Short mmCIF file of all heavy atoms in Angstrom, two decimals:
data_model
loop_
_atom_site.label_atom_id
_atom_site.label_comp_id
_atom_site.label_asym_id
_atom_site.label_seq_id
_atom_site.Cartn_x
_atom_site.Cartn_y
_atom_site.Cartn_z
N THR Q 111 -3.51 26.95 11.95
CA THR Q 111 -2.62 28.10 11.93
C THR Q 111 -1.20 27.61 11.65
O THR Q 111 -0.91 26.41 11.76
CB THR Q 111 -2.63 28.85 13.28
OG1 THR Q 111 -2.08 27.97 14.28
CG2 THR Q 111 -4.03 29.30 13.66
N GLU Q 112 -0.29 28.53 11.35
CA GLU Q 112 1.11 28.15 11.11
C GLU Q 112 1.70 27.49 12.35
O GLU Q 112 2.47 26.54 12.23
CB GLU Q 112 1.93 29.38 10.72
CG GLU Q 112 1.63 29.87 9.32
CD GLU Q 112 2.51 31.04 8.91
OE1 GLU Q 112 3.64 31.16 9.42
OE2 GLU Q 112 2.06 31.83 8.07
N GLU Q 113 1.34 27.98 13.53
CA GLU Q 113 1.87 27.41 14.77
C GLU Q 113 1.35 26.00 14.99
O GLU Q 113 2.11 25.10 15.37
CB GLU Q 113 1.51 28.30 15.98
CG GLU Q 113 2.13 29.67 15.97
CD GLU Q 113 1.40 30.67 15.06
OE1 GLU Q 113 0.20 30.47 14.74
OE2 GLU Q 113 2.05 31.63 14.63
N GLU Q 114 0.05 25.80 14.76
CA GLU Q 114 -0.53 24.46 14.92
C GLU Q 114 0.08 23.48 13.92
O GLU Q 114 0.39 22.34 14.27
CB GLU Q 114 -2.05 24.52 14.72
CG GLU Q 114 -2.80 25.24 15.82
CD GLU Q 114 -4.25 25.51 15.47
OE1 GLU Q 114 -4.56 25.78 14.28
OE2 GLU Q 114 -5.07 25.47 16.40
N LEU Q 115 0.26 23.94 12.69
CA LEU Q 115 0.85 23.10 11.66
C LEU Q 115 2.29 22.73 12.01
O LEU Q 115 2.70 21.58 11.87
CB LEU Q 115 0.77 23.79 10.30
CG LEU Q 115 1.29 23.01 9.10
CD1 LEU Q 115 0.58 21.68 8.93
CD2 LEU Q 115 1.16 23.86 7.83
N ALA Q 116 3.05 23.71 12.47
CA ALA Q 116 4.45 23.45 12.86
C ALA Q 116 4.51 22.42 13.99
O ALA Q 116 5.35 21.52 13.97
CB ALA Q 116 5.13 24.75 13.27
N GLN Q 117 3.61 22.54 14.98
CA GLN Q 117 3.57 21.58 16.09
C GLN Q 117 3.21 20.19 15.59
O GLN Q 117 3.82 19.19 15.99
CB GLN Q 117 2.59 22.04 17.17
CG GLN Q 117 2.54 21.11 18.38
CD GLN Q 117 3.87 21.00 19.10
OE1 GLN Q 117 4.49 22.01 19.42
NE2 GLN Q 117 4.32 19.78 19.36
N LEU Q 118 2.21 20.11 14.70
CA LEU Q 118 1.82 18.81 14.15
C LEU Q 118 2.98 18.18 13.39
O LEU Q 118 3.25 16.98 13.54
CB LEU Q 118 0.60 18.96 13.24
CG LEU Q 118 0.13 17.67 12.56
CD1 LEU Q 118 -0.29 16.63 13.59
CD2 LEU Q 118 -1.00 17.97 11.59
N ARG Q 119 3.68 18.96 12.60
CA ARG Q 119 4.84 18.43 11.85
C ARG Q 119 5.91 17.91 12.79
O ARG Q 119 6.52 16.87 12.53
CB ARG Q 119 5.40 19.50 10.91
CG ARG Q 119 4.49 19.75 9.72
CD ARG Q 119 5.01 20.88 8.86
NE ARG Q 119 4.22 21.03 7.64
CZ ARG Q 119 4.22 22.12 6.91
NH1 ARG Q 119 4.97 23.16 7.24
NH2 ARG Q 119 3.47 22.18 5.82
N ARG Q 120 6.15 18.63 13.89
CA ARG Q 120 7.13 18.13 14.89
C ARG Q 120 6.64 16.82 15.49
O ARG Q 120 7.42 15.89 15.68
CB ARG Q 120 7.35 19.18 15.98
CG ARG Q 120 8.31 20.28 15.62
CD ARG Q 120 8.69 21.14 16.81
NE ARG Q 120 7.56 21.83 17.42
CZ ARG Q 120 7.06 23.00 16.99
NH1 ARG Q 120 7.59 23.60 15.95
NH2 ARG Q 120 6.04 23.54 17.62
N ASN Q 121 5.34 16.76 15.81
CA ASN Q 121 4.78 15.54 16.41
C ASN Q 121 4.88 14.35 15.47
O ASN Q 121 5.03 13.21 15.92
CB ASN Q 121 3.31 15.76 16.80
CG ASN Q 121 3.14 16.69 17.97
OD1 ASN Q 121 4.09 17.01 18.68
ND2 ASN Q 121 1.93 17.17 18.17
N ILE Q 122 4.78 14.59 14.18
CA ILE Q 122 4.88 13.51 13.19
C ILE Q 122 6.31 12.97 13.12
O ILE Q 122 6.53 11.78 12.94
CB ILE Q 122 4.41 13.99 11.80
CG1 ILE Q 122 2.90 14.20 11.81
CG2 ILE Q 122 4.80 13.00 10.70
CD1 ILE Q 122 2.37 14.89 10.58
N ASP Q 126 7.36 11.59 21.32
CA ASP Q 126 7.26 12.24 22.63
C ASP Q 126 6.56 11.25 23.56
O ASP Q 126 5.35 11.04 23.46
CB ASP Q 126 6.46 13.54 22.51
CG ASP Q 126 6.32 14.27 23.84
OD1 ASP Q 126 6.73 13.73 24.89
OD2 ASP Q 126 5.80 15.40 23.82
N ARG Q 129 3.35 12.10 25.45
CA ARG Q 129 2.10 12.31 24.71
C ARG Q 129 1.35 10.99 24.60
O ARG Q 129 1.88 10.00 24.11
CB ARG Q 129 2.45 12.86 23.32
CG ARG Q 129 1.29 13.36 22.54
CD ARG Q 129 1.72 13.98 21.23
NE ARG Q 129 2.27 12.95 20.35
CZ ARG Q 129 3.34 13.11 19.60
NH1 ARG Q 129 3.99 14.23 19.60
NH2 ARG Q 129 3.77 12.14 18.83
#
Side-chain angles (χ1 to χ4, degrees):
T111 65
E112 287 183 28
E113 295 80 22
E114 291 169 325
L115 182 58
Q117 182 62 50
L118 178 61
R119 288 176 174 161
R120 279 191 298 276
N121 290 346
I122 290 170
D126 180 354
R129 191 175 67 221

